[in-house]
Amino acid sequence: MLQYVRPLRNDKDQLIHSLRTHRVNTLTELRRIEKVFAYVDSAEVTEPMTSAWAHYVNSNNLLSELRGLTRNYPFSSECLDEAKWLVIGDPASTRSWNYCWLVLTKIQNQRLIQKHAHSLAAQPAMWGGRAPTASGIDQLATACVNEWNRALRQMLRHWDSPPSTTGR
């Protein structure tokens, strides 16, 4: 890995500029830069990396990627919004510069998918305006839970271990 990191050190300013101008807007690309910055070990990369992750989540790029993975039952924006609020209110959230990872793990750890899948499945609008049956709600909620959890696991696979304030 070191043979790839040395040339990238020379491009640190370019990477920082890319983060600040939001040219990078996918999870995969942000993770690639985050991994590089973990080896650069410079305090000047913390702010742009933190801001880039916040922009990725707050500009709906995270929601768009999650919905791209959940085409049958689009991922709940309410679920994502609740996770964001929980992260903001959590004093332990300062343990990482990676707002995206914090939000995704909050969804997982607080079991927000189950909560929001059931809430969605119970809405009459999901049933063409008619009252859903209990078994219908359970069946739709299970389908949402399965698809949304699959997408969440796929997104979390980008990290081998929790990112810290240094990106490692």
Side-chain angles (χ1 to χ4, degrees), residues 9-23:
R9 284 185 188 179
N10 299 330
D11 296 331
K12 179 177 70 176
D13 291 338
Q14 184 179 357
L15 291 173
I16 289 172
H17 180 72
S18 294
L19 292 174
R20 287 193 171 132
T21 57
H22 310 297
R23 284 192 204 148

Side-chain angles (χ1 to χ4, degrees), residues 42-154:
S42 171
E44 68 186 298
V45 302
T46 303
E47 183 276 324
M49 197 76 243
T50 302
S51 294
W53 280 119
H55 181 266
Y56 172 75
V57 172
N58 293 325
S59 67
N60 289 325
N61 288 331
L62 174 58
L63 179 60
S64 293
E65 286 199 61
L66 284 166
R67 285 191 169 166
L69 297 170
T70 58
R71 296 201 188 272
N72 295 322
Y73 305 98
F75 197 88
S76 167
S77 61
E78 291 83 5
C79 180
L80 191 58
D81 288 343
E82 182 175 356
K84 289 191 247 182
W85 279 110
L86 289 170
V87 168
I88 289 168
D90 184 357
S93 68
T94 58
R95 70 186 184 274
S96 176
W97 67 13
N98 193 316
Y99 185 46
C100 177
W101 180 83
L102 291 167
V103 168
L104 291 172
T105 56
K106 192 64 77 173
I107 290 170
Q108 182 179 50
N109 296 343
Q110 297 293 316
R111 300 180 50 84
L112 297 180
I113 285 177
Q114 290 79 352
K115 172 185 174 184
H116 287 276
H118 190 272
S119 175
L120 178 76
Q123 293 177 8
M126 295 300 294
W127 300 92
R130 63 178 175 49
T133 64
S135 66
I137 291 172
D138 290 342
Q139 186 177 6
L140 179 56
T142 298
C144 290
V145 165
N146 291 337
E147 187 163 294
W148 296 356
N149 273 324
R150 193 170 27 259
L152 181 66
R153 283 190 305 272
Q154 188 169 341

